[in-house]
Amino acid sequence: MRITMNRLVRYKAFQKLAISYFLLILLTVSLLSTYLFYFFSKSAVQEADRNSKAMLSQISYASDVVYNQAMTIGNSLLNLPEITSFLNDSEEDKTKNYHVFRQLSQIQSAYPYIHSIGIYRPSTKTVVDTAGLPFDSSLYAISAEQYMEFYPRSLVVPNRNNGAPLQFLTFLLYPDYSMLTTSNPLIYINIEEQSILTTIRNIGKAESANNIFVINKEGKVLSHTDSNRFLDDLSDTPYVQQILSQDELRNSFTATIHTKKHLITYVKSEEMDWYFVSVTPYSSLISNIDHLRNVTLLVTGGIVLIGLLVSIFLSKSLYRPLSTLFEKIIQNSAAVKSSFIDEYQVMADMFASLEEREKSMQFVINRSSRTIREHYLHSLLRSHSLNTSVPGELIQDIDAELSGPYFCVIVFKINDLEPTRGGTEGGQKSLLRFALGNIATEMLEPLGVCDYLITGEHEAVAICQYASSERPVELMPALRNVQSFLKRYFKLTLSIGVGDISYGRKTISSSYTSAQQYVKYRFIYGKESILDSQTTRSHIMTTLSYPADYEKKAIEAVQSCKPEAIRENIEQFIEHISFGSVNQAVTYSIQFMLSLLKHFDYLRHLPDSNFAEYLDAVSDIEAAENLAEIKNLFHSYCADICSLIEEKNHWINAQKHNVVIDKVQNYILEHYAEPNLSLELVSNVGGLSPSYLGKLFKGSTKQSFSEYLNHIRLEKARELLISTNETAAKISESVGIYNTPYFSTLFKKKYGLSPSTYRERETMMKKEMMED
């Protein structure tokens, strides 16, 4: 027991197991006890309901008997000659009245529940009542709808019943109902309400009758265990409204009255439209409910205590295999030193560690197997021998998987591989090669077994195995799907070379070699091409001569700097070499570029020409991946050469124009004093037209001819104003300006002062310098 309690305190799994059993037992016992308690309570209520309905049915039957007897008494009275004679007499006769009284008293004595029987004759206003009660005029005011009517009433008679009202249930009989008038006689039978109550108590026993009453169809109380409620109107009471609205002759339901739950049971009288109602509180229906609940709780507590012991015993039995396993796992483990142990967590950690170790070992084994398989496939591609240290069993397993017997090597060349934003180029290349391998394998596996290998930075291969020497017709569509997928999702273009079908593993290298040769022809067909022997056969079998005519025409177009002619001849050259092999196309392209460089070698002597950079064209051609790039190189270099030619012509013209400008400037310095000196006159000296010379002169000196001429004349005039005493007019004429005011305007505009003021200022400055 001590070991069991120690496990219950320290071991979490044992705790959970014991608690689970205990909760299961507790839940089962609680549900069973609740159900039994509910069943017994409901049965008690149903039994009380059945008893109430039976009791009310008996009371209703007794009331129907009273009604029928009242009807029988009325009929008997009408059959008696004395009674009939009395009703028809129109004069008062005391003797007859006495005989009628005696007969009525005899009949009443046979029915103890009848208080009195009376006859009223309106013609003489005579009343014969066995109890001596005065006639109630309200009885005659009732509007009769049938032979016998019922009328509950309360009558106060002096010196009777201690002044308290007499509560009657009165039956009214109309002998001449068919000819009913205000002078018709009336027979009435008074039944005291207390007699109905006595009947209820006799049938239902005193303890139950306290909550029973009778109402009519209008909801008025005809009899009640509380006599003070006689003739109370209960039609506004919700449960009475529900009773009156129902069509059933007997029924029961629950209602809340004064915040307490009650059972309402009623039975309807078919003869009189009376409702016999029982209103019983639930607490009185199952008065022993507290005792029943206490007994149920006591029994439940005992069963739960026994269940606790049973749960510990069951937990101990089921825990024994787990404890044996757990003790073996935690030997020499740190978990034993802990005061609280979660067995499942300890075993889960142990199993997770073992599983991780097993996965690691499996990964190493699989990785080693894949590496050996890849090395073996690489050796088959290049016809190299594999390292002899590889176990022969592995090689045999790989050979068994390479059953073929026909093989086809497909070479994938990755184009335009550039690093992605935020990533390294090496990481991007690895990712793209991995993606290519997954996509290619998925597309090609349905056609046959496929092995994917990476053979270079921009190259990967797929070794496909087929059962026949015919290439599957679905191969080309599958390869196009690979290209489309990579371009759409990775923005990557792919060129593919499909090698020849080879037989046997030893000939895989020949298929690989042919695929490498075929994929080179992407140089001619461009990127995203799929190349095989059928596509490249015409190029391999064709021998082209060098297109010297296209070269000559292209050089002439470059020499003439005609872009359209250059473009046309380059395209003709490219189209011609595209029919040959790749080697021929590259060789002829290099030869064409060397011819261009050789022909325009003289341009290297131009200043700032950097002509040496154009010598790299050969390496650019060798690095080109297709003819389109070579064509663009040709266009670029030809455009640059045209620019050099234009630059050279511009330089020659510039040198030539500088000589003319110098000659014109010297002529102006020599003849500025001539008043008729003009651009037209000087153009004859330069040998150019006046307009062209004017543009050339301004382009060189940044001044127009007239601006330059005025500048020379004003400078000479300034010198004369300082060095001579000649007048401004004389000086103006000496420099070729004969209009003195115009001279003054030009001078002031250039130097900010008039000629005379300028002379005065210069003279004063000279004197100040001499004095100093």
Side-chain angles (χ1 to χ4, degrees):
M1 189 63 183
R2 185 177 60 82
I3 297 175
T4 302
M5 295 305 299
N6 181 53
R7 286 177 178 174
L8 188 61
V9 172
R10 292 192 61 194
Y11 294 105
K12 185 175 182 180
F14 189 81
Q15 285 181 357
K16 288 184 176 180
L17 194 60
I19 292 173
S20 298
Y21 277 120
F22 176 71
L23 291 178
L24 180 61
I25 294 173
L26 178 62
L27 179 62
T28 303
V29 172
S30 300
L31 290 176
L32 182 60
S33 301
T34 302
Y35 172 75
L36 291 176
F37 180 76
Y38 171 77
F39 176 76
F40 290 143
S41 301
K42 185 176 181 182
S43 298
V45 172
Q46 290 176 347
E47 182 63 25
D49 181 51
R50 284 194 296 270
N51 294 334
S52 296
K53 288 179 180 178
M55 177 194 67
L56 293 176
S57 296
Q58 294 177 20
I59 297 172
S60 174
Y61 175 75
S63 300
D64 290 343
V65 170
V66 170
Y67 175 80
N68 292 328
Q69 287 179 352
M71 182 70 74
T72 302
I73 292 170
N75 293 332
S76 299
L77 289 174
L78 292 177
N79 291 325
L80 294 173
E82 291 84 357
I83 301 299
T84 304
S85 176
F86 176 80
L87 294 175
N88 294 325
D89 286 343
S90 59
E91 294 181 359
E92 183 73 24
D93 187 346
K94 297 294 184 177
T95 304
K96 285 185 178 182
N97 293 348
Y98 176 74
H99 288 296
V100 169
F101 175 79
R102 291 287 302 273
Q103 287 185 343
L104 292 178
S105 298
Q106 289 177 0
I107 294 173
Q108 177 191 348
S109 62
Y111 301 98
Y113 55 85
I114 295 178
H115 182 272
S116 67
I117 301 175
I119 299 176
Y120 173 70
R121 187 174 60 198
S123 60
T124 59
K125 296 184 180 180
T126 302
V127 178
V128 177
D129 189 289
T130 58
L133 299 177
F135 180 71
D136 186 359
S137 60
S138 63
L139 296 178
Y140 211 78
I142 296 174
S143 178
E145 297 181 357
Q146 56 186 0
Y147 168 69
M148 186 173 71
E149 291 287 347
F150 171 75
Y151 178 56
R153 62 188 177 127
S154 206
L155 181 64
V156 177
V157 180
N159 301 320
R160 293 282 187 97
N161 200 28
N162 297 324
L166 296 172
Q167 298 174 348
F168 290 142
L169 303 176
T170 302
F171 292 91
L172 305 176
L173 287 86
Y174 301 93
D176 297 328
Y177 173 73
S178 59
M179 300 176 61
L180 186 61
T181 64
T182 56
S183 61
N184 287 351
L186 175 66
I187 300 174
Y188 58 89
I189 302 172
N190 291 321
I191 299 175
E192 197 171 4
E193 180 265 344
Q194 194 67 27
S195 64
I196 300 295
L197 179 60
T198 302
T199 302
I200 293 174
R201 288 174 175 171
N202 290 335
I203 294 176
K205 298 186 175 56
E207 63 271 20
S208 300
N210 291 331
N211 299 305
I212 299 174
F213 57 91
V214 183
I215 60 175
N216 60 12
K217 61 182 179 181
E218 287 82 20
K220 287 186 177 182
V221 176
L222 304 181
S223 180
H224 200 291
T225 52
D226 184 2
S227 60
N228 294 325
R229 303 202 64 178
F230 180 68
L231 294 183
D232 282 357
D233 188 359
L234 301 182
S235 59
D236 294 334
T237 308
Y239 69 88
V240 173
Q241 292 177 348
Q242 186 173 351
I243 291 173
L244 297 177
S245 64
Q246 293 185 358
D247 297 329
E248 291 84 353
L249 295 178
R250 62 176 63 196
N251 197 6
S252 62
F253 56 89
T254 58
T256 301
I257 303 175
H258 303 303
T259 69
K260 292 184 178 180
K261 188 177 181 182
H262 290 69
L263 176 66
I264 311 297
T265 306
Y266 74 90
V267 174
K268 182 180 180 182
S269 171
E270 297 183 7
E271 297 290 343
M272 296 181 293
D273 284 341
W274 289 2
Y275 293 87
F276 299 86
V277 184
S278 170
V279 180
T280 309
Y282 254 69
S283 58
S284 64
L285 291 175
I286 44 177
S287 56
N288 59 346
I289 189 66
D290 292 335
H291 177 69
L292 177 63
R293 180 169 52 247
N294 294 333
V295 172
T296 303
L297 291 176
L298 182 62
V299 173
T300 302
I303 296 176
V304 168
L305 182 60
I306 296 173
L308 176 61
L309 299 176
V310 171
S311 63
I312 295 175
F313 174 76
L314 291 176
S315 300
K316 179 180 178 182
S317 301
L318 291 178
Y319 186 77
R320 188 174 292 110
L322 179 64
S323 64
T324 303
L325 176 62
F326 180 68
E327 289 173 358
K328 291 182 179 180
I329 291 177
I330 64 172
Q331 287 179 353
N332 301 323
S333 174
V336 179
K337 301 177 182 178
S338 176
S339 59
F340 187 75
I341 301 173
D342 187 349
E343 306 95 302
Y344 288 134
Q345 186 62 43
V346 172
M347 289 190 290
D349 293 341
M350 179 64 70
F351 290 145
S353 175
L354 295 175
E355 184 180 7
E356 188 67 26
R357 189 181 304 172
E358 189 272 337
K359 287 182 179 179
S360 176
M361 294 178 62
Q362 189 64 37
F363 175 78
V364 172
I365 293 172
N366 293 338
R367 184 67 179 270
S368 301
S369 300
R370 286 197 300 270
T371 302
I372 293 173
R373 182 185 180 89
E374 288 177 0
H375 282 305
Y376 183 66
L377 293 175
H378 276 288
S379 66
L380 292 178
L381 287 176
R382 294 174 173 80
S383 297
H384 295 164
S385 59
L386 192 64
N387 192 340
T388 55
S389 61
V390 178
E393 293 81 2
L394 289 177
I395 300 301
Q396 291 177 1
D397 292 340
I398 297 173
D399 286 341
E401 294 175 359
L402 297 174
S403 57
Y406 295 95
F407 296 87
C408 178
V409 178
I410 301 173
V411 174
F412 300 96
K413 283 288 185 179
I414 302 175
N415 304 317
D416 301 331
L417 188 58
E418 297 179 358
T420 56
R421 183 183 301 177
T424 61
E425 183 178 359
Q428 182 203 12
K429 290 178 181 179
S430 300
L431 175 62
L432 292 177
R433 286 194 293 263
F434 177 76
L436 171 60
N438 288 342
I439 297 168
T441 303
E442 182 178 353
M443 296 294 182
L444 298 177
E445 278 286 355
L447 308 181
V449 180
C450 177
D451 287 283
Y452 176 79
L453 296 175
I454 298 173
T455 55
E457 186 177 6
H458 298 276
E459 181 185 283
V461 301
I463 303 176
C464 301
Q465 303 180 41
Y466 302 124
S468 66
S469 59
E470 296 294 330
R471 192 170 64 191
V473 294
E474 299 88 354
L475 179 61
M476 288 301 179
L479 295 176
R480 281 191 287 271
N481 288 337
V482 173
Q483 289 179 324
S484 175
F485 194 91
L486 286 172
K487 185 175 182 180
R488 179 184 304 172
Y489 295 102
F490 294 93
K491 310 301 180 186
L492 181 69
T493 58
L494 198 67
S495 299
I496 302 175
V498 182
D500 299 333
I501 298 291
S502 61
Y503 181 81
R505 294 186 300 274
K506 302 301 182 182
T507 59
I508 290 177
S509 59
S510 63
S511 180
Y512 175 54
T513 302
S514 62
Q516 284 183 313
Q517 293 298 322
Y518 299 150
V519 80
K520 289 181 180 179
Y521 280 87
R522 65 179 179 155
F523 181 82
I524 294 174
Y525 286 92
K527 301 172 183 178
E528 297 187 86
S529 54
I530 301 177
L531 305 160
D532 57 4
S533 60
Q534 184 177 357
T535 307
T536 60
R537 181 179 293 109
S538 60
H539 297 275
I540 297 174
M541 302 302 294
T542 301
T543 302
L544 292 179
S545 59
Y546 182 74
D549 293 340
Y550 296 139
E551 176 195 297
K552 181 178 179 182
K553 292 178 180 179
I555 292 175
E556 290 175 355
V558 173
Q559 185 68 53
S560 303
C561 293
K562 297 178 178 179
E564 287 298 325
I566 294 173
R567 183 186 60 77
E568 181 180 355
N569 285 285
I570 289 176
E571 289 182 354
Q572 290 177 347
F573 182 88
I574 294 297
E575 183 180 2
H576 179 80
I577 64 176
S578 66
F579 292 102
S581 64
V582 174
N583 292 333
Q584 286 177 329
V586 173
T587 301
Y588 289 167
S589 297
I590 294 174
Q591 184 176 345
F592 178 81
M593 183 58 71
L594 292 176
S595 297
L596 283 175
L597 297 177
K598 180 178 180 182
H599 185 82
F600 296 100
D601 183 64
Y602 66 90
L603 296 175
R604 72 168 60 198
H605 301 295
L606 288 176
D608 301 327
S609 65
N610 294 325
F611 191 76
E613 295 180 0
Y614 300 118
L615 298 178
D616 296 334
V618 174
S619 60
D620 291 340
I621 291 174
E622 291 176 345
E625 294 189 354
N626 50 60
L627 287 177
E629 293 183 8
I630 291 180
K631 182 170 68 173
N632 292 334
L633 285 173
F634 286 166
H635 283 301
S636 176
Y637 284 114
C638 288
D640 290 343
I641 291 173
C642 288
S643 298
L644 290 176
I645 292 175
E646 291 178 355
E647 184 180 346
K648 177 187 176 186
N649 293 335
H650 178 73
W651 182 77
I652 293 174
N653 291 332
Q655 294 296 322
K656 182 179 179 181
H657 294 158
N658 289 338
V659 174
V660 174
I661 297 303
D662 290 341
K663 187 175 180 181
V664 170
Q665 287 177 334
N666 292 330
Y667 186 84
I668 291 172
L669 289 173
E670 294 175 0
H671 300 87
Y672 68 89
E674 298 177 3
N676 59 346
L677 185 62
S678 63
L679 181 61
E680 288 76 8
L681 179 63
V682 176
S683 64
N684 295 327
V685 177
L688 301 173
S689 65
S691 60
Y692 182 70
L693 178 61
K695 293 179 181 179
L696 190 63
F697 189 87
K698 188 170 185 178
S700 178
T701 63
K702 308 303 180 187
Q703 289 179 311
S704 65
F705 176 81
S706 59
E707 290 174 346
Y708 185 77
L709 177 60
N710 288 334
H711 170 71
I712 296 299
R713 285 174 172 174
L714 292 174
E715 281 293 313
K716 293 296 183 180
R718 186 180 66 81
E719 293 175 3
L720 293 174
L721 285 172
I722 298 173
S723 60
T724 67
N725 294 324
E726 297 289 341
T727 64
K730 190 70 174 176
I731 292 174
S732 173
E733 293 178 356
S734 65
V735 296
I737 302 175
Y738 284 80
N739 188 341
T740 304
Y742 179 64
F743 168 73
S744 299
T745 300
L746 291 176
F747 192 90
K748 188 174 183 180
K749 183 178 180 180
K750 183 173 180 64
Y751 299 107
L753 298 171
S754 64
S756 57
T757 305
Y758 184 81
R759 172 179 279 177
E760 291 175 359
R761 190 190 69 174
E762 291 296 326
T763 301
M764 290 177 64
M765 291 177 61
K766 187 181 294 185
K767 287 181 180 181
E768 290 176 356
M769 292 177 62
M770 292 178 63
E771 291 176 358
D772 293 340

